[in-house]
């Protein structure tokens, strides 16, 4: 019914037909993601709506991962109320509610920030690989990476998505002033 009224599109469905529950992710015309579940875990006689997690491109973001983690938005309606009433109630209380919209936007924005951080990190890794370092980077990593083995005297480095590199180096005390000068002048 929400699909035919243009309130949302179904983008994912889960649930075993042998059980009495279904889980559906819907996206609004504004691109915000919500979950609708029916008959699940202590709410067998109702349909529940909440802000959905985004789980794409090896990054999963829940509402609890966002600055709005202390503002969960969830509502449930009895099956007995009928489809039109359930849709109207859950739309009003979650999908079109200002807190629901803000929560879904926070999930989307946090997911995008992680995607951007992952891309930035990969760019910094590529720069350090050109200097001879080797990285084993998991596809889900968005914040920092550790590289090993360059012939330039620093055998292990860490780089984060903001481009900060940390490393440990050693030299003779007589060379320390030159090493500091080289680091501060480049």
């Amino acid at each position: 019914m929400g699909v035919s009224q243009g309130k949302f599109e179904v983008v994912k469905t889960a649930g075993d037909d042998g059980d009495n529950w279904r889980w559906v992710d819907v996206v609004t015309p504004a691109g915000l993601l919500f979950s609708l579940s029916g008959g699940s875990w202590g709410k067998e006689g109702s349909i529940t709506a909440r802000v959905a997690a985004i789980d794409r491109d090896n990054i999963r973001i829940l509402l609890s991962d966002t600055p709005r983690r202390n503002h969960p938005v969830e509502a449930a309606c009895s099956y007995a109320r009928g489809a039109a009433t359930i849709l109207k109630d859950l739309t009003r209380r979650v999908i079109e509610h200002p807190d629901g919209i803000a929560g879904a936007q926070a999930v989307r924005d946090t997911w995008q920030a992680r995607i951007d951080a992952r891309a930035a990190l990969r760019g910094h890794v590529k720069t350090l690989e050109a200097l001879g370092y080797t990285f084993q980077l998991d596809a889900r990593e968005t914040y920092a990476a550790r590289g090993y083995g360059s012939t330039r005297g620093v055998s292990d480095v860490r780089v984060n998505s903001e481009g900060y590199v940390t490393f440990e180096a050693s030299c003779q005390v007589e060379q320390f002033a030159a090493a500091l000068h080289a680091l501060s002048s480049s």
Side-chain angles (χ1 to χ4, degrees), residues 54-100:
I54 295 179
D55 191 358
R56 272 193 323 259
D57 298 327
N58 289 311
I59 295 179
R60 179 175 169 81
I61 300 296
L62 305 164
L63 182 60
S64 60
D65 297 321
T66 75
R68 294 194 58 85
R69 68 183 144 270
N70 296 324
H71 303 282
V73 179
E74 180 176 311
C77 271
S78 168
Y79 282 133
R81 296 185 64 195
T85 303
I86 292 170
L87 175 64
K88 182 177 178 182
D89 191 32
L90 294 181
T91 299
R92 177 184 57 82
R93 293 169 59 200
V94 178
I95 296 171
E96 292 177 354
H97 190 279
D99 287 338

Side-chain angles (χ1 to χ4, degrees), residues 26-46:
V26 298
V27 65
T28 66
L32 302 176
L33 198 60
F34 295 90
S35 287
L36 304 173
S37 59
S40 61
W41 304 290
K43 295 181 181 176
E44 289 79 7
S46 63

